[in-house]
Amino acid sequence: MTGMIAEGVAYHPGLLPATEQKALVADLHRVIAAAPFFTPQMPRTGAPFSVEMTNCGPLGWVSDRKGYRYQPTHPETGRRWPPIPERLLKIWRAVGAPGVPEACLINRYGEGAKMGLHQDRDEETFEAPVVSVSLGDTAVFRMGGTTRRGPTRSLRLASGDVIVFGGPARLMYHGIDRVLAGSSRLLPEGGRLNLTMRRVTPFPADEAG
Ligand code: MD3
Ligand code: FE
């Protein structure tokens, strides 16, 4: 039931069965115990994001007054990010993404959290796709083109959906308008988790497969 819904966008609605979603949540609880959620801040102003974040993998995305960047350590504990759970790496391979991801950003959306329209361009390379996994409450996802202007489309991302952005879609504008509270019972505390696996640095000559 996979479909190319736009150039470079492969949508896999319901790819993860409920059992797999629950096992993934258990894996994430172990990640979060080692790397607690932090509240990123906007560059320069220091205004807080409404979304909380953490990471796993060799590199993690952070944002503070100094700017957006990838770094190997948690901004508050100073410890290295925990490894990406094997269950997530299996999803990366299942959707045909090359090599191994270097970063997995974990976004937590509580009551009223949203994410404005933006591009992901803090990586040194755009050669690999971004693979997104949604868990918990359904999100109203917005996607546009590769410029800030122009038409956008809206898509609901439900728990267990996987969506892959590669090729021309790797630099598309996108955001989360809102999360539909109470739409899933996966997370006892409610809300939504989104996992995005990314490549940050170019593949070594022998690694992409
Ligand atoms: C298209 N996350 O972490 S997932 C982000 O649901 C982010 O938390 C949203 O945007 C979320 O940067 C949207 C879908 C997504 C993620 C990354 C992309 C779409 C993307 C990167 C490039 C193009
Ligand atoms: Fe993004």
Side-chain angles (χ1 to χ4, degrees), residues 15 35 41 43 53 62 97 104 113 130 132-133 147 166 181 187 196:
L15 182 67
Q41 297 177 313
M53 298 182 178
V62 302
C104 177
V130 172
S132 157
V133 177
T147 62
L187 306 173
T196 46

Coordinates of all heavy atoms in Angstrom, one line a residue, residues 15 35 41 43 53 62 97 104 113 130 132-133 147 166 181 187 196:
L15 N 2.6 1.0 8.0 CA 3.7 0.0 7.8 C 4.0 -0.8 9.0 O 4.3 -2.0 9.0 CB 5.0 0.7 7.3 CG 6.2 -0.2 7.0 CD1 5.9 -1.1 5.8 CD2 7.5 0.5 6.8
A35 N 19.0 9.6 27.4 CA 19.1 10.9 26.8 C 17.7 11.6 27.0 O 16.9 11.4 26.1 CB 19.5 10.8 25.3
Q41 N 15.9 25.7 21.8 CA 15.6 27.2 21.7 C 16.0 27.7 20.3 O 16.9 27.2 19.7 CB 16.5 27.9 22.7 CG 16.3 27.5 24.2 CD 17.2 28.2 25.1 OE1 18.4 28.2 24.9 NE2 16.7 28.8 26.2
P43 N 17.5 30.0 17.5 CA 18.8 30.7 17.4 C 18.6 32.2 17.7 O 17.5 32.7 17.4 CB 19.2 30.5 16.0 CG 18.6 29.1 15.6 CD 17.3 29.1 16.4
M53 N 12.7 17.5 22.3 CA 13.5 16.7 21.4 C 14.6 15.9 22.2 O 15.0 16.3 23.3 CB 14.2 17.5 20.4 CG 13.3 18.3 19.5 SD 14.2 19.2 18.2 CE 12.8 19.9 17.3
V62 N 20.6 19.6 17.5 CA 20.3 20.5 18.6 C 20.1 21.9 18.1 O 20.6 22.3 17.0 CB 21.4 20.4 19.8 CG1 21.6 19.0 20.3 CG2 22.7 21.0 19.3
A97 N 16.5 2.6 2.2 CA 17.4 3.6 2.3 C 18.9 3.0 2.4 O 19.0 1.9 2.8 CB 17.1 4.4 3.6
C104 N 19.2 10.0 14.6 CA 17.7 9.8 14.7 C 17.2 10.9 15.7 O 17.5 10.8 16.9 CB 17.4 8.4 15.1 SG 15.6 8.2 15.3
A113 N 1.5 21.5 20.8 CA 2.8 21.6 20.1 C 2.6 21.6 18.6 O 1.7 20.9 18.0 CB 3.7 20.5 20.5
V130 N 15.5 11.2 4.1 CA 15.1 11.3 5.6 C 13.9 10.3 5.7 O 13.0 10.3 4.9 CB 14.6 12.7 6.0 CG1 14.0 12.7 7.4 CG2 15.8 13.6 5.9
S132 N 10.9 9.1 8.2 CA 10.1 9.5 9.3 C 9.1 8.4 9.8 O 8.4 7.8 9.0 CB 9.3 10.8 8.9 OG 8.2 11.0 9.7
V133 N 9.1 8.2 11.1 CA 8.2 7.2 11.7 C 7.3 8.0 12.7 O 7.8 8.7 13.5 CB 9.0 6.2 12.5 CG1 8.1 5.2 13.2 CG2 10.0 5.4 11.5
T147 N 10.7 25.9 -2.4 CA 10.8 27.4 -2.1 C 9.7 27.6 -1.0 O 8.8 26.9 -0.9 CB 10.6 28.3 -3.3 OG1 9.3 28.1 -3.8 CG2 11.6 28.0 -4.4
G166 N 13.1 11.7 -0.3 CA 14.4 11.6 -1.0 C 14.4 12.4 -2.2 O 13.4 13.0 -2.6
A181 N -5.4 15.5 19.4 CA -5.4 14.9 20.8 C -6.4 13.7 20.9 O -7.5 13.9 20.5 CB -5.6 15.9 21.8
L187 N 0.3 5.8 23.3 CA 1.1 6.4 24.4 C 0.2 6.7 25.5 O -0.7 7.5 25.4 CB 1.8 7.7 23.8 CG 2.7 7.5 22.6 CD1 3.1 8.8 22.1 CD2 3.8 6.6 22.8
T196 N 12.9 10.8 13.1 CA 13.5 11.0 11.8 C 14.9 10.5 11.7 O 15.8 11.1 12.4 CB 13.4 12.5 11.3 OG1 13.8 13.3 12.3 CG2 12.0 12.9 10.9

